[in-house]
């Protein structure tokens, strides 16, 4: 199912389709016995293979030049209101700086989004992308609390999740609405049963406090930070709580911090529709090389018909599973996170029209964190737990029914799906914290905020709103006129030069800079 935000699609889809190399480390909760956790010493060791909750796979390969990835575990308070009580373990990964130690700035901490994405697995998969930044920083990432091996949230088992992600998520009548609500309640009850101790303590404010502890344990006076997608929200919350501890920070693929859950979902509907429009126009412009339609409108009409047909007649997927309407919608959405995956979408649609849903299902599996062996990472469980702990609103089926016209206007294809997704926190075991995050950080230094005009998951307008919310002279806005979720990893020269110049040399870009 679609979620409020997702980690970079290239990381998730590559994990399934391109067999990216991943890694993991971590542990279980222990009693702190009153110790000062800021004084703890990390024991860095070779990284083991990732756990199933982190997505499975092999231990990370060395970086170019032979540098090895190292993993460690940091203790953090389970409940930050009781800092000397029980602890949980936060899994960390690091690649030491490749440059002159005398020119080392410190650690550069990454969060790749979700919420629910494992930084311990994602950073090694993209380590080469940040080779220039490693000349002056140790590259560091982590599994946020509730994710992967950091007290990972567990809800339903693999067999139950196969059914859950195949369910009809766009009900057409009262019976289907009841079934959807019952399925959500069952999922949420499983989360409480299997992870009830952790659920109250996975808010973004908790993760931000973990990052400040991390800063201290890593030996840094300031937190130098690179946040992507939800990672921008986490970075904004950190800046609000600890403005004097912010170092050089970059927010890429920016979450709009002024929106509540409904507004965010509606914004995503518009964003995914825009990305679909751009995909259709791109394919149609290829003339003889677009097998899925004669024009952009024709392509979108055929996609809509496919989804309508799948509602009552699923087709062959990855045996023994069928490709349902819900799975196909997830697969289409996943491919829109990156222009690199548009060819997969073209091929997947072409084959689905002939009754073969394997590619679209593989893309849906990537969205949902399903591994090739049928096990699931905990990305979706963590996503729900963190969002529901953060977001105060709770939406009923009546609320959704009233909002459906707005969502359908925003996106004929994704509107219903995203609207009904708002029921995901109904009857959640933990009360939501606020309508939207507080990111005001007037005393913080400049933070570079990058918006991508074609971003489906975090629409472009969110960057400007984040820049304004951070405070005058704090948010420095940079625009990338491109496609996909995020800008830095597009390899656009202008974006790279501005970000690298800031992180490596402290040169703040001119606010309003546009890269294309």
């Amino acid at each position: 199912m679609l979620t409020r935000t997702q980690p970079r699609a290239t990381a998730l889809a590559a994990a399934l389709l391109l067999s990216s190399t991943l890694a993991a480390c971590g542990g279980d909760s222990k009693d702190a016995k009153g110790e000062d956790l800021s004084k703890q010493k990390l024991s860095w060791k070779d990284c083991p293979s990732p756990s199933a909750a982190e997505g499975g796979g092999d231990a990370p390969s060395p970086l170019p030049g032979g540098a090895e990835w190292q993993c460690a575990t940091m203790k953090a308070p389970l409940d930050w209101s009781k800092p000397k009580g029980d602890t949980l373990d936060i899994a960390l990964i690091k690649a030491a700086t490749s440059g002159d130690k005398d020119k080392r700035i410190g650690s550069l901490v990454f969060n790749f989004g979700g919420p629910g994405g494992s930084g311990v697995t994602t950073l090694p998969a993209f380590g080469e992308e940040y080779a220039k930044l490693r000349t002056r920083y140790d590259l560091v990432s982590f599994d946020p609390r509730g994710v992967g091996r950091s007290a990972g949230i567990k809800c339903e088992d693999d067999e139950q999740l196969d059914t859950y992600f195949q369910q009809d998520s766009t009900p057409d009548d009262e019976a289907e609405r009841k079934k959807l609500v019952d399925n959500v309640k069952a999922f949420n009850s499983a989360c409480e049963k299997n992870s009830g101790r952790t659920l109250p303590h996975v808010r973004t404010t908790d993760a931000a406090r973990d990052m400040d502890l991390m800063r201290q344990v890593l030996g840094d006076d300031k937190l130098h930070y690179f946040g992507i997608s939800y990672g921008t929200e986490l970075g904004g919350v950190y800046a609000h709580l600890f403005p004097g501890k912010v170092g050089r920070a970059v927010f890429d693929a920016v979450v709009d911090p002024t929106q509540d859950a409904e507004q965010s979902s509606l914004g995503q509907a518009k964003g995914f529709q825009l990305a679909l429009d751009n995909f259709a126009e791109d394919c149609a412009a290829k003339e003889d090389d677009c097998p899925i339609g004669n024009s952009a409108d024709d392509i979108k009409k055929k996609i809509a018909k496919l989804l309508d047909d799948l509602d009552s007649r699923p087709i062959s997927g990855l045996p023994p599973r069928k490709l349902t309407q819900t799975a196909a919608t997830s697969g289409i959405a996943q491919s829109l996170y990156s222009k690199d995956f548009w060819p997969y979408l073209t091929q997947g649609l072409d084959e689905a029209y002939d009754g073969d849903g394997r590619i679209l299902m593989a893309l849906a599996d990537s969205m949902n964190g399903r591994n090739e062996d049928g096990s699931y990472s905990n990305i979706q469980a963590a996503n729900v737990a963190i969002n529901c702990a953060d977001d105060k609103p709770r939406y009923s089926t009546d609320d959704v029914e009233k909002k459906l016209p707005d969502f359908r206007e925003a996106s004929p294809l994704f509107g219903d799906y995203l609207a009904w997704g708002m029921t995901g926190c109904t009857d959640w075991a933990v009360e939501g914290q606020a309508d939207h995050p507080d990111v005001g950080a007037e005393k913080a230094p400049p933070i570079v905020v990058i918006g991508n005009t074609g971003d489906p998951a975090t629409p472009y307008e969110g960057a400007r709103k984040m820049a304004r919310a951070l405070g005058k002279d704090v948010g420095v806005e940079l625009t990338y006129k491109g496609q996909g979720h995020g800008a830095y990893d597009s390899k656009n020269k202008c974006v790279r030069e501005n970000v690298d110049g800031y992180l490596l040399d402290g040169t703040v870009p001119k606010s309003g800079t546009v890269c294309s």
Side-chain angles (χ1 to χ4, degrees), residues 335-410:
S335 65
L336 295 175
Y337 273 85
S338 171
K339 192 173 181 178
D340 291 342
F341 286 88
W342 288 6
Y344 288 107
L345 178 55
T346 300
Q347 184 180 354
L349 289 169
D350 189 33
E351 293 183 4
Y353 295 150
D354 290 331
D356 183 350
R358 286 177 296 176
I359 289 178
L360 290 184
M361 179 159 275
L363 288 163
D365 285 349
S366 179
M367 170 75 79
N368 295 323
R370 190 181 196 272
N371 306 314
E372 290 185 64
D373 63 1
S375 65
Y376 281 84
S377 75
N378 88 316
I379 184 171
Q380 292 289 1
N383 185 283
V384 172
I386 295 168
N387 278 329
C388 293
D390 279 348
D391 296 337
K392 194 171 184 178
R394 299 292 187 254
Y395 300 100
S396 67
T397 56
D398 287 342
D399 294 329
V400 174
E401 291 279 4
K402 292 175 184 177
K403 298 296 181 181
L404 276 174
D406 293 338
F407 276 79
R408 288 168 177 167
E409 182 180 357

Side-chain angles (χ1 to χ4, degrees), residues 310-330:
L310 290 173
D311 191 25
S312 56
R313 295 185 298 276
I315 61 175
S316 176
L318 292 173
R321 294 175 299 150
K322 298 278 191 178
L323 181 73
T324 63
Q325 182 189 61
T326 293
T329 305
S330 295

Side-chain angles (χ1 to χ4, degrees), residues 1-13 111-118 165 228-232 252-253 255 268 272 330 333-334 337 363-369 377 379-381 383-384 387 417-418 455-458 485-486:
M1 68 174 45
L2 294 183
T3 50
R4 284 274 303 286
T5 57
Q6 284 282 349
R8 290 189 326 223
T10 45
L12 293 177
N111 181 279
F112 296 96
S118 166
F165 291 126
I228 301 166
S229 192
Y230 161 79
T232 66
D252 187 5
V255 172
Q268 276 202 329
F272 277 102
S330 295
Q334 174 72 327
Y337 273 85
L363 288 163
D365 285 349
S366 179
M367 170 75 79
N368 295 323
S377 75
I379 184 171
Q380 292 289 1
N383 185 283
V384 172
N387 278 329
Y417 194 45
L418 283 160
D455 197 316
T458 52
H485 190 40

Side-chain angles (χ1 to χ4, degrees), residues 122-168:
T122 305
L123 182 58
F126 289 87
E128 292 185 40
E129 296 288 331
Y130 308 114
K132 191 168 184 178
L133 299 177
R134 196 165 71 89
T135 60
R136 298 198 66 188
Y137 291 97
D138 295 342
L139 304 184
V140 176
S141 195
F142 63 108
D143 286 358
R145 55 175 58 213
V147 176
R149 291 194 183 180
S150 296
I153 300 297
K154 178 169 178 59
C155 298
E156 294 185 327
D157 63 29
D158 295 334
E159 184 177 353
Q160 290 170 318
L161 289 174
D162 271 347
T163 300
Y164 187 71
F165 291 126
Q166 293 286 90
Q167 70 179 318
D168 187 345

Side-chain angles (χ1 to χ4, degrees), residues 61-84:
S61 299
L63 286 157
E68 296 283 350
W69 292 96
Q70 296 285 296
C71 284
T73 300
M74 181 188 79
K75 290 182 181 179
L78 172 66
D79 183 346
W80 269 103
S81 69
K82 301 175 182 177
K84 293 188 177 181

Side-chain angles (χ1 to χ4, degrees), residues 144-212:
R145 55 175 58 213
V147 176
R149 291 194 183 180
S150 296
I153 300 297
K154 178 169 178 59
C155 298
E156 294 185 327
D157 63 29
D158 295 334
E159 184 177 353
Q160 290 170 318
L161 289 174
D162 271 347
T163 300
Y164 187 71
F165 291 126
Q166 293 286 90
Q167 70 179 318
D168 187 345
S169 296
T170 55
D172 301 311
D173 55 39
E174 183 59 36
E176 290 183 355
R177 284 192 290 274
K178 183 179 185 305
K179 187 172 182 179
L180 175 62
V181 169
D182 289 345
N183 289 342
V184 170
K185 285 183 178 179
F187 179 90
N188 292 353
S189 294
C191 298
E192 183 178 11
K193 177 182 177 181
N194 295 316
S195 300
R197 178 174 181 265
T198 309
L199 292 184
H201 307 298
V202 295
R203 294 187 169 98
T204 298
T205 50
D206 297 317
R209 295 184 187 282
D210 292 343
M211 287 206 302
D212 197 60

